[in-house]
Amino acid sequence: MALPLPPGLTHAEVAFLAEMELVTVIPRQRLDSIDLLGGKTPPLRPPHRADLPLWLALLLKKQRRANILPPAWLHPASLADIIHAETKINPQAFSDPPPPPSRADPSRPGLARRQQGAGGNINNNNDDDDDGVYSGGLILSAPFRPSCTADAPAGYLPYHWLEVAEQLLAHAGDDVAAALGGGGTAASASSASSATILGEVRGLLRDLVEVRAAKLRSSTAALGSFGGGIMSLRGVGAMELAETRGFVLGVVDGVRKLGASVETARREAEEEGMDEGGDGESDEEMGF
Amino acid sequence: MDIDDILREVDPTFHSVPLEKRDLQELTRAWVAERSAPELLPWPSHGFFERINDNIKRQIERVEDMTGDMDPKTNFALIVIQTELERYRYLVRSYLRARLAKIDRHALHYLSTDELRARMSDVELAYATRHQALLHNHYLSSFLSSFPPNLQNLNDSAGINMVEAPDLDSAVFVRLLRDTLVTAKGVEDDDAVTVKADDILILRWSDAKPLVEAGSAELV
């Protein structure tokens, strides 16, 4: 009955999470709003676009009730830009995660403010009132931020980039090819050119996976001499974390256990230094 | 009510996160956290789980109502509702099972103090207590009774503590939800860095815990 899995999300669980990402669909049939546990779906009225969770979009796609509009970051030019940034501009770190969505700030005309996350302009009030209107202290994060919709900015990889890209290519390849290749003239795109563009996107994604996997591998070299308490992996993706979780966390824990006696000695030395009101340097020497 | 409240009321972004979506976000976050954290996290308060369970029950009743009529148009909506229901129930189930696994593993530890007991829901507490009593009785009848009386306890804390506790210093991945000053203990150095929102860090759980409890970070 109890869950037999080790701590940390598995690949399957990450894929499950990624299916909650919102994507944009162009419906081909009318469909009334459905009252789901996760909220009402928007009513589908062709040809108006609507944002739906990926699992629902794929279901509609399989039944030919809708076409999926791929996010801008999946465009070959955007992927090539990201690869360029990952290899040339900043070969050490991952490329930045997408910025939080912005909109005009009504209290400061002419200025935009971020809707969620950083700065927390919205969440400045910590009242926990359950009036069901706004989110009090709750900050939305992936997969509930619209980072895979058609409006998502190009040039940034969202947290679930690999899973969403794979799903879209596997189940909505024709839509991806039509949207990326024809630039609107979807119907006229021949099957040969759509195959080449899909191949291009797949190739770029594979390059990206390899570039970033190499970075994760080289960051493990830094793990060996990991002395501080914080290590940042800004911009890393969910699947990449799931893949290296066991290894990376195992190494960090191992380093901590090996250095436990050094750490206790240092802490004691620091405490003594504090008790005596300074001259911590000589204490530290005594500690080692 | 000041000018900010009035502006907030006319601001569409404040109404853009309906209760259902917040619940789903909260449930997902709780599930990911419970799957990643080395110790049992507090049971959500404010009747959160009761609300989730009521919603699931209501949705199941709706499905039962809708299976009656065979109109092809509602048929598709029914498929969507059932698919979503299964996804939602998977989340709840996996969350509860992850908690059970932790309670099973360190039952005596979570029963040892009132503060730790308070992390469990009533049902979980009843389960842990009863399960532990059954186990202890079984051990007593099979081998413990032949030990000297002073060695029959399972929770001796004199000398080396017999009660095994989870390792609170295990490393975890966290994502910052807002810009925060993060202080963390390391082997050679202690760090104190201001970290931007959306950064993903490797931290010790003991350092990450206050951030997660304050809502400034989430486990990933």
Side-chain angles (χ1 to χ4, degrees), chain A residues 30-66:
Chain A
R30 291 167 73 93
L31 185 68
D32 287 331
S33 170
I34 305 175
D35 204 356
L36 295 179
L37 286 167
K40 277 187 169 50
T41 62
L44 302 183
R45 299 272 175 274
H48 297 290
R49 296 176 180 187
D51 291 346
L52 295 176
L54 182 61
W55 63 267
L56 181 52
L58 290 177
L59 188 67
L60 290 172
K61 169 71 189 163
K62 265 176 213 157
Q63 302 216 349
R64 290 165 213 268
R65 290 173 195 263

Side-chain angles (χ1 to χ4, degrees), chain A residues 138-195:
Chain A
L138 188 77
I139 303 174
L140 295 185
S141 65
F144 297 102
R145 274 197 208 169
S147 58
C148 293
T149 56
D151 298 333
Y156 296 98
L157 290 180
Y159 186 57
H160 290 290
W161 65 277
L162 186 55
E163 306 88 293
V164 172
E166 284 291 328
Q167 290 274 15
L168 288 183
L169 287 178
H171 300 292
D174 50 340
D175 292 348
V176 174
L180 301 185
T185 56
S188 66
S190 68
S191 63
S193 76
S194 83

Side-chain angles (χ1 to χ4, degrees), chain B residues 17 27 29 33 35 90 98 101 114-115 121 126 128 142 153 166 202 205 207 209:
Chain B
V17 186
L27 178 63
R29 190 170 282 165
R35 287 282 293 114
Y90 167 76
D114 282 345
E115 190 263 320
S121 68
S142 52
N153 285 337
I202 305 177
W205 168 239
D207 294 323
K209 197 176 169 186

Side-chain angles (χ1 to χ4, degrees), chain B residues 1-219:
Chain B
M1 190 188 240
D2 61 9
I3 185 73
D4 279 347
D5 291 323
I6 298 167
L7 284 171
R8 198 176 295 128
E9 281 201 349
V10 295
D11 184 349
T13 56
F14 280 98
H15 300 275
S16 66
V17 186
L19 181 65
E20 289 88 358
K21 191 172 174 186
R22 280 168 44 199
D23 279 353
L24 183 59
Q25 162 81 73
E26 219 170 313
L27 178 63
T28 312
R29 190 170 282 165
W31 172 63
V32 175
E34 203 64 70
R35 287 282 293 114
S36 309
E39 63 170 334
L40 188 73
L41 301 175
W43 179 253
S45 51
H46 304 317
F48 175 68
F49 246 83
E50 288 72 12
R51 187 163 77 231
I52 297 271
N53 274 333
D54 284 349
N55 287 346
I56 291 179
K57 250 180 235 149
R58 218 173 314 125
Q59 197 78 332
I60 292 175
E61 276 164 22
R62 261 187 70 200
V63 169
E64 282 165 358
D65 284 350
M66 283 172 76
T67 26
D69 66 276
M70 292 308 281
D71 179 19
K73 213 166 184 187
T74 54
N75 213 1
F76 181 68
L78 185 64
I79 293 172
V80 174
I81 289 177
Q82 276 176 324
T83 313
E84 206 246 358
L85 185 62
E86 281 313 312
R87 292 178 61 88
Y88 212 82
R89 279 169 52 172
Y90 167 76
L91 268 183
V92 173
R93 221 168 21 228
S94 183
Y95 173 74
L96 294 176
R97 290 179 66 197
R99 289 178 65 86
L100 262 190
K102 290 181 190 180
I103 294 173
D104 272 352
R105 200 147 174 234
H106 300 293
L108 275 175
H109 169 69
Y110 291 120
L111 287 172
S112 61
T113 66
D114 282 345
E115 190 263 320
L116 288 168
R117 281 160 172 266
R119 288 191 196 175
M120 290 186 269
S121 68
D122 295 343
V123 188
E124 285 170 341
L125 186 60
Y127 162 77
T129 319
R130 194 158 154 63
H131 185 232
Q132 197 52 43
L134 282 173
L135 261 187
H136 202 162
N137 279 338
H138 171 63
Y139 292 156
L140 271 176
S141 61
S142 52
F143 61 91
L144 274 181
S145 53
S146 48
F147 287 4
N150 58 333
L151 293 181
Q152 284 184 2
N153 285 337
L154 286 177
N155 55 355
D156 247 338
S157 53
I160 296 172
N161 198 341
M162 273 178 81
V163 182
E164 215 187 315
D167 183 1
L168 299 185
D169 277 339
S170 321
V172 291
F173 291 120
V174 294
R175 176 182 19 233
L176 272 291
L177 293 173
R178 46 181 152 227
D179 303 358
T180 318
L181 176 74
V182 178
T183 53
K185 295 190 283 292
V187 173
E188 281 151 27
D189 280 307
D190 292 353
D191 282 339
V193 193
T194 305
V195 186
K196 280 185 286 181
D198 282 339
D199 263 20
I200 291 179
L201 305 178
I202 305 177
L203 280 182
R204 293 185 189 177
W205 168 239
S206 49
D207 294 323
K209 197 176 169 186
L211 298 174
V212 173
E213 280 171 356
S216 314
E218 63 173 343
L219 287 153

Side-chain angles (χ1 to χ4, degrees), chain A residues 82-88 90-91 93-95 208 211-212 215:
Chain A
I82 298 171
I83 292 179
H84 178 75
E86 297 251 2
T87 51
K88 299 282 166 13
N90 194 348
F94 298 104
S95 53
L208 209 45
V211 168
R212 290 164 65 96
K215 282 183 189 179

